Each structure stands twice: as C-alpha cells, then as structure tokens.
Amino acid sequence: MTRRTESDYVKLSTEGIKMVINNDWLKAEELFGSHKDVSVLMSAGNSFVSFLQALMTFEEDKMESSRVALAETIQHCKSKMSSSKHPKAGECLKEKHCPEQ
C-alpha cells in the first residue's frame, strides 16, 4: 500500500465537497470520516460536513457530534503544529494565532 501525500488528500477533499454539493451526504461523511485521523484537511472536511448537518437539522445529537468533530480537528491541528518544523509553531500555539514570518 502506498502512502498518500497531502496532494492526494486535496483531491479527495475536493471529491468530498462535490458529494456535499450533490446532496450525497452519506458518501461525503464516509470519505472524510475514513481519513480524518491522518490528514488535517480531511479532519476539517469531516467537521465541516458534521457542522452543516447540525446547522440544517438543529438536532441535539448532531450538534454534539459536530462539537466533538470540531474539537478533534483543533487537537489534530495543534498536534500537527507542535510536530511542525515551522519556526514559530510553538509561539502560534501559545498565542493562539500565528504571527507573520
């Protein structure tokens, strides 16, 4: 099995957004959900789909599910930033914003 690159996840996320636009929520949810732990982009897509569903339905369980998905995406981003070689990554996390380089 070959390892996917971030470019592969960009293509996958584009397909996922097309699924949402074409009202194929289940396939979009499955696509983003199956890759949410390995790509920040796919995690954000998963959160996006979850949030839109919660926004459209106002169902309590979907709102909670959306909150959890968003929290997981934030954690995924933080862990990616802390392992990043970005020279100001630590500062970004402390300040909760990333200053210009």
Side-chain angles (χ1 to χ4, degrees), residues 31-84:
L31 176 67
F32 286 118
S34 65
H35 299 282
K36 69 180 181 170
D37 296 326
V38 293
S39 167
V40 171
L41 184 60
M42 298 302 281
S43 181
N46 183 64
S47 296
F48 173 71
V49 169
S50 180
F51 176 74
L52 284 180
Q53 288 177 329
L55 193 63
M56 291 187 309
T57 65
F58 286 102
E59 292 177 17
E60 200 64 39
D61 62 324
K62 288 190 179 183
M63 288 185 198
E64 178 60 19
S65 179
S66 174
R67 187 195 65 75
V68 168
L70 288 166
E72 288 173 353
T73 297
I74 290 168
Q75 282 305 113
H76 195 129
C77 289
K78 283 182 178 179
S79 103
K80 203 69 155 168
M81 285 291 291
S82 66
S83 66
S84 171

